[in-house]
Amino acid sequence: MLERQTETEHFNLSWQQQLAEAFNSIEDLCHYLHLSPSELPVSSAANKDFSLRVPLSFAASMEKGNPHDPLLRQVLPVNDELLAYPGFSNDPVGDLRAATESSVLHKYQGRVLLINTGSCAINCRYCFRRNFPYADLQLSKQKEDAAVRYIDKDSGISEVILSGGDPLVLNDARLTRLVQHLGRIKHLKRIRIHSRMPVVLPARITDELINTLAQCPAQIILVVHCNHANEINERVIAACKTLKNNGITLFNQSVLLKNVNDTAKQLCELSERLFSHGIIPYYLHLLDKATGTGHFEVSEQDALALMRQVQATLPGYLVPKLVKEVAGMASKQYVFNDTNGYR
Ligand SMILES: *Cc1c(COP(=O)(O)O)cnc(C)c1O
Ligand code: SF4
């Protein structure tokens, strides 16, 4: 790929072409990063379970020659994924089965999650979706229409969250159709999109997408997913600026990951950098205990100690809420060890 094209040429391709040319082999990615696979704990078995996938735009922010790069660690299939950890399972929050049976997850009051695709532009090793059996299924138009009718009929629903997978994997025609249908529902105040695309494949923020979102009568919120300040490159910054300029509110959610972002310094830098580009820190999630991800876990106790330091360093609005998902609860659970914060 890169023999024929310079990176600049690649970043001028359509997002679909960039996605089609994303790294999908350990060897190619290592070669690009000037690393030798034989010196890394890479695992072809882990790769077979859940294959490497990373767009060049994201890989370009990794440090060449650094086997411990925090962005590389998020995407490289490694031997540790094959280890069994107690308490880790294929469906830690009980959503997988629910999501395959119905496209609407109505667990929390006033807001529903609409799952319209199982695929993503990047495969994050720590994701619970790695064990999702129908990763590439796309919601049929019939099921999507049924979901829209469900939302239309329940005036208690004020917010729809488009989730996945990554909802921005859908093409613009498909998204426009959905957003227009949702936009006609009078009681719907907000459409929230949960997507890692602005960070991993910012070319996805096309003019057509912006037009669709800007024209929607409901307020639009985009919750990006960024774990480390290094992920925010100039392409990400430009995409976020366009979104902001078109009235879209930007939040970020991260996952707390061992040896990726588990120092107070990294978390503070992330919040600062997000905010300087118009993105407000929202959630910091404790890892969902999905099979194959145990080596990323940061204990609740360590997480609380980190949050205490972050809280002592940053203004309150730059401190994300530390949360975990507990099956059967009516909301995400704040992780505190007393009623007065992270102390
Ligand atoms: C996380 C989640 C939401 C959104 O929760 P907020 O606290 O509003 O961000 C909604 N529905 C489901 C099923 C979820 O898992
Ligand atoms: S982008 Fe989100 S849903 Fe997709 S693999 Fe990464 S963490 Fe999972």
Side-chain angles (χ1 to χ4, degrees), residues 50 119-120 122-124 126-129 164-166 196 225:
F50 184 54
S119 74
C120 291
I122 188 167
N123 283 343
C124 309
Y126 52 85
C127 183
F128 71 95
R129 183 187 143 260
D166 195 315
R196 193 143 159 68
H225 171 176

Side-chain angles (χ1 to χ4, degrees), residues 50 53 115-123 127 129-130 132-139 163-167 169-170:
F50 184 54
R53 180 179 229 192
I115 311 272
N116 38 18
T117 171
S119 74
C120 291
I122 188 167
N123 283 343
C127 183
R129 183 187 143 260
R130 56 179 298 135
F132 192 75
Y134 310 113
D136 290 321
L137 270 196
Q138 185 175 312
L139 187 62
S163 184
D166 195 315
V169 162
L170 298 185

Side-chain angles (χ1 to χ4, degrees), residues 89-108 113 115 128-129 132-133 163-164 288 325-329 332:
S89 69
N90 279 344
D91 193 4
V93 291
D95 276 357
L96 286 188
R97 190 172 315 140
T100 53
E101 283 166 8
S102 156
S103 48
V104 183
L105 273 183
H106 195 171
K107 291 204 306 194
Y108 298 172
L113 208 73
I115 311 272
F128 71 95
R129 183 187 143 260
F132 192 75
S163 184
D288 287 329
E325 196 152 346
V326 180
M329 300 301 277
K332 308 268 185 278

Side-chain angles (χ1 to χ4, degrees), residues 151-176:
I151 296 158
D152 192 21
K153 270 198 292 205
D154 185 345
S155 61
I157 299 171
S158 50
E159 178 166 358
V160 171
I161 302 166
L162 306 185
S163 184
D166 195 315
L168 295 187
V169 162
L170 298 185
N171 66 31
D172 284 331
R174 195 61 203 274
L175 275 170
T176 298

